[in-house]
Structure formats: structure tokens, C-alpha cells
Amino acid sequence: MPCGTYDSFYVYDYSGGPPLRVLQSRSSREHDEGIRAIYFSNRDTSGGRLILTLRTGVQCGSSWNRLSYDLFRLIPGTGPAVPVFSGEHGIWLADGDVLHAQVTSDEFLIEFRDQSINPRFRNRTHFLRYSI
């Protein structure tokens, strides 16, 4: 990728002897993407965790981009992580660090800037909050 990177993310379980790959996350969208952030929830009552991956497009010369997010549930000892939710949204990447997220055992929140519906303002803060 001449203007960025194309990343993959792997999680291995070492609890049962040889390493077992339980999560493999690669971009599956039409455009090339790099990992922007990865978040792990605390353990829930079953010992499982939610894992949120955030990706942005690999491109040159623009503050406007695409944000992709994938949520997985991983319960140790039960096999591979299960995809729970995926989505995409526009994002404005100027003005420094404009992407924040948090994950708990039953919800996740993503905060970022994207286009405004008011023509007087270029962008506004968007909040995506999902209960799982």
C-alpha cells in the first residue's frame, strides 16, 4: 500500500497446550484498511470477552475516510471467536485524535467526527452505542 498499511489481527489461546488461533481479523471490505484500534472488554460471568476492532481506509491526501468496526465474542475453551456485529461509517480524521471507543461485557460505544447535516458546519461528533 503506497499510502499506508494493510493489517491483520490475530488472537491465540495458549491455555490448552499448543497455541490455538481463536480470532483472525482481516479487512473484508472493498477498500484497503489498516487497524486503527483494538479494544477488549472485561470478562463477563461466563469468562468471555467482547473484542472490538476499528479500521480506517488506507488512502492519501484526504481528511474524509471510512471507519469499519467489527465486534467478536470470545469465550475461552469453546473454540474460535464468534462475529457479533459489523458496520461502516464515514469519519473525519483531521484535528488529531478524533476516534474514541469503549467496550464493556454487554455494550460498546464509538465516538468520532463525521459530516454534519447542517451546511454551516463541516462536521460534528457522532456517537454509536450498541447493547449486546
Side-chain angles (χ1 to χ4, degrees), residues 36 65 109 114 117 125:
R36 188 79 176 192
N65 207 306
L109 170 72
D114 192 17
I117 59 173
T125 302

Side-chain angles (χ1 to χ4, degrees), residues 80-92:
V82 177
V84 176
F85 186 80
S86 293
E88 286 191 352
H89 201 287
I91 188 172
W92 190 62

Side-chain angles (χ1 to χ4, degrees), residues 4-125:
T5 60
Y6 178 85
D7 302 320
S8 296
F9 169 64
Y10 303 95
V11 174
Y12 288 86
D13 181 357
Y14 290 86
S15 65
L20 173 65
R21 185 182 299 170
V22 293
L23 176 59
Q24 174 177 312
S25 176
R26 294 184 185 154
S27 174
S28 60
R29 283 136 181 127
E30 295 177 7
H31 49 86
D32 297 320
E33 297 178 308
I35 294 174
R36 188 79 176 192
I38 302 164
Y39 296 87
F40 291 81
S41 74
N42 289 329
R43 294 184 189 279
D44 62 16
T45 55
S46 68
R49 294 180 187 262
L50 293 177
I51 303 170
L52 176 65
T53 62
L54 304 178
R55 299 175 183 275
T56 52
V58 176
Q59 66 178 15
C60 301
S62 177
S63 298
W64 298 103
N65 207 306
R66 206 84 203 131
L67 170 67
S68 301
Y69 44 96
D70 296 299
L71 185 72
F72 301 90
R73 180 175 304 280
L74 176 62
I75 300 174
T78 64
V82 177
V84 176
F85 186 80
S86 293
E88 286 191 352
H89 201 287
I91 188 172
W92 190 62
L93 292 172
D95 287 347
D97 189 13
V98 296
L99 178 60
H100 305 282
Q102 60 185 23
V103 181
T104 66
S105 61
D106 61 357
E107 71 176 12
F108 71 97
L109 170 72
I110 306 172
E111 176 186 349
F112 56 94
R113 298 191 65 78
D114 192 17
Q115 294 179 341
S116 174
I117 59 173
N118 184 336
R120 293 178 40 206
F121 301 100
R122 174 184 9 223
N123 59 65
R124 68 177 178 85
T125 302

